[in-house]
Amino acid sequence: MDGEWVRLGSDGFPRCWWGAGPDPDYMRYHDDEWGRPMGSDHRLFEKLCLEGFQSGLSWLTILRKRENFRAVFAGFDPELVADFTQADVDRLLGDAGIVRHRGKIESTINNARRALDLIEERGTLAAYVWAFEASELHRPPDQTSPIPSTSPASVAMSKDLKKRGWSFVGPT
């Protein structure tokens, strides 16, 4: 527990510094989701969209609204979200249970359409995403340095997604 990265949580279990605080939403996210491989296209699409909504906000804000996001964005099923219309955008802008940012809402709909293109090309969104992970150099992190917010793979994937017409998909 001497490293900068790991701290004992309020429940006595070791966690990354950001997941060790008293907030149960962060602890649950850290313990059950963060850093775990994901192969579901819906969950990957959700994660990409929620990361876009998080831009400029805290991840905790997004975690606390995640169930509302799932409900209003059809479980982040790209086929369903791709069919959203201007009426859906207007409906979502009026929903206090999510982040009401027109650009981010419209981006999610656009990205659903782009996700369908990727699924048609690669078979699954997961196949596309994991191709970038496979190219990443894996070496043990320096436990005394801050956790990097980007990686060569995340930069490459963000650049490729933007080239394919995606928006709100930065490398962080």
Side-chain angles (χ1 to χ4, degrees):
M1 299 313 148
D2 295 335
E4 295 285 322
W5 288 13
V6 179
R7 295 188 185 148
L8 284 180
S10 57
D11 57 3
F13 289 99
R15 291 186 180 82
C16 298
W17 63 269
W18 58 266
D23 191 280
D25 291 323
Y26 261 157
M27 287 194 304
R28 210 173 10 262
Y29 178 74
H30 178 279
D31 294 353
D32 299 336
E33 296 181 59
W34 186 77
R36 302 223 191 284
M38 187 182 307
S40 161
D41 280 359
H42 292 182
R43 295 290 69 87
L44 285 168
F45 181 65
E46 172 185 312
K47 183 74 170 168
L48 287 166
C49 293
L50 292 180
E51 289 286 346
F53 274 101
Q54 187 260 332
S55 178
L57 303 170
S58 77
W59 185 240
L60 187 56
T61 297
I62 301 305
L63 282 177
R64 289 181 175 161
K65 293 179 177 276
R66 183 164 55 171
E67 289 307 317
N68 295 327
F69 275 110
R70 286 174 174 164
V72 301
F73 281 105
F76 289 98
D77 180 333
E79 287 188 37
L80 298 176
V81 177
D83 288 335
F84 279 21
T85 65
Q86 186 58 49
D88 292 301
V89 172
D90 295 340
R91 172 182 56 84
L92 294 168
L93 285 169
D95 191 323
I98 66 167
V99 174
R100 296 177 289 179
H101 182 288
R102 179 179 298 277
K104 293 176 181 181
I105 291 168
E106 290 174 344
S107 172
T108 299
I109 297 165
N110 170 71
N111 292 349
R113 295 170 183 151
R114 305 296 69 81
L116 294 179
D117 295 340
L118 273 175
I119 291 167
E120 185 176 323
E121 177 187 325
R122 300 285 180 100
T124 66
L125 186 57
Y128 171 81
V129 170
W130 284 103
F132 286 93
E133 191 280 337
S135 70
E136 186 71 36
L137 255 183
H138 292 287
R139 32 185 186 160
D142 175 359
Q143 292 276 327
T144 61
S145 299
I147 299 172
S149 61
T150 64
S151 70
S154 71
V155 171
M157 187 172 88
S158 172
K159 186 181 286 189
D160 188 64
L161 287 171
K162 288 176 182 176
K163 187 174 76 177
R164 293 169 178 271
W166 289 61
S167 56
F168 279 97
V169 286
T172 303

